[in-house]
Amino acid sequence: MRIPLAIAAAIAALTPAFPASAESERVVTIASEGASPPWDGTDDKGELYGYDIDVGRELCRRIAIKCTFVPQDWDGIIPALLVGKFDVIMSGMAITEKRKQSIAFSVPYASGFNQFVVRKELGLDPGDTGQKINLSIIGDKEKAAIERLRSTLGGKAIAVLRSSNSEAVVKQLMGDVVTIRSYDSLDNMKLDLAAGRVDGGLADYFTWRDFLETPSGSGAAFFGPELKGGLWGPGVGAGMRKDDTELLTKFNEAIEAATKDGTIKALSLKWFKTDISPAASN
């Protein structure tokens, strides 16, 4: 039986509307730099891959939302988020107090640490490269390690990623004794290090590890202790706009569940060959 047009219109008027922007129907866009493997890289086809990407896909699966991934240069990644170019940053981004002034962060989905590398031909004594220094706790051990870095790297040209926490740490700890060279990408940092245009650099340990295992990186080696805490904050999290509270809550719940059931650990073992899940840092 056909329903008269007037009755059909009345029924439609009484039916609740569910806008396309509702969280259940939303397509979430996640940005990564795509230049810092194994955190995030770009393959020959221009597709993003890495730990950040796999974790992002897993979180979206658990939340039951559609997600797409887009590349974004590092030094403009927060401004691009704020103007709505994408919804989430997952790019090995450390949770810091400075960044929290402009964006919100999920709970950590990774821990990690950073380390200097220097060119081997300089002949510098690397010291204890397995020593672990937490810059959130400055005691006698930490002061001694910092002073050794200052004295051995003094006068050298040190590469850092522009707008990164590593840049801020080098400025804070030894900006008065080294020449800081800031780069727009880790790829360009690595090129200049391999070519001898800088003496060393500070960046994420795992990014350096993969580079040092390549022919281009064979002329450099780890230098000094493993560094964490301080300006690097408590770990790596997903960045979002502060008003995106519902999405933030869903990400937090998914991260906590994926950490608890071992999924985050499995993904970190896949990409880093070690456990960098938040639970591993406690």
Side-chain angles (χ1 to χ4, degrees), residues 7-206:
I7 297 176
I11 293 173
L14 294 173
T15 303
F18 294 93
S21 60
E23 201 67 50
S24 60
E25 299 295 329
R26 181 177 178 182
V27 176
V28 173
T29 304
I30 300 175
S32 282
E33 182 191 15
S36 303
W39 290 94
D40 51 79
T42 307
D43 64 20
D44 294 339
K45 297 179 180 179
E47 298 293 327
L48 291 167
Y49 70 89
Y51 176 75
D52 290 314
I53 312 307
D54 277 6
V55 172
R57 288 194 178 110
E58 174 63 20
L59 299 180
C60 293
R61 184 190 69 79
R62 290 171 183 258
I63 299 170
I65 55 175
K66 296 179 181 179
C67 292
T68 60
F69 294 82
V70 297
Q72 169 65 46
D73 290 342
W74 179 261
D75 58 1
I77 202 165
I78 289 180
L81 171 71
L82 294 176
V83 299
K85 186 175 179 181
F86 42 79
D87 304 299
V88 181
I89 298 170
M90 292 189 71
S91 192
M93 180 172 279
I95 303 166
T96 68
E97 291 303 316
K98 182 177 180 180
R99 288 175 178 147
K100 285 165 66 175
Q101 293 176 12
S102 55
I103 65 174
F105 277 100
S106 69
V107 296
Y109 64 86
S111 58
F113 57 92
N114 301 265
Q115 200 158 13
F116 283 95
V117 299
V118 299
R119 292 188 293 117
K120 293 177 181 178
E121 66 180 13
L122 297 177
L124 299 178
D125 178 3
D128 183 1
T129 57
Q131 184 184 21
K132 303 180 189 303
I133 295 296
N134 187 338
L135 295 177
S136 297
I137 308 168
I138 304 297
D140 291 340
K141 180 181 74 170
E142 289 75 24
K143 290 178 181 177
I146 292 169
E147 184 52 41
R148 186 181 186 283
L149 288 171
R150 287 174 56 84
S151 63
T152 52
L153 295 179
K156 303 297 186 293
I158 302 300
V160 290
L161 183 64
R162 185 180 300 129
S163 302
S164 69
N165 292 307
S166 293
E167 180 185 58
V169 167
V170 174
K171 287 180 178 178
Q172 180 187 66
L173 298 184
M174 56 185 67
D176 59 332
V177 297
V178 302
T179 299
I180 299 173
R181 302 275 175 79
S182 298
Y183 289 81
D184 60 346
S185 72
L186 284 167
D187 284 343
N188 287 333
M189 271 179 60
K190 295 170 185 175
L191 285 172
D192 272 13
L193 180 63
R197 287 187 283 268
V198 291
D199 299 311
L202 178 64
D204 170 72
Y205 166 84
F206 298 105

Side-chain angles (χ1 to χ4, degrees), residues 214 245 270:
T214 68
T245 55
K270 170 187 174 181

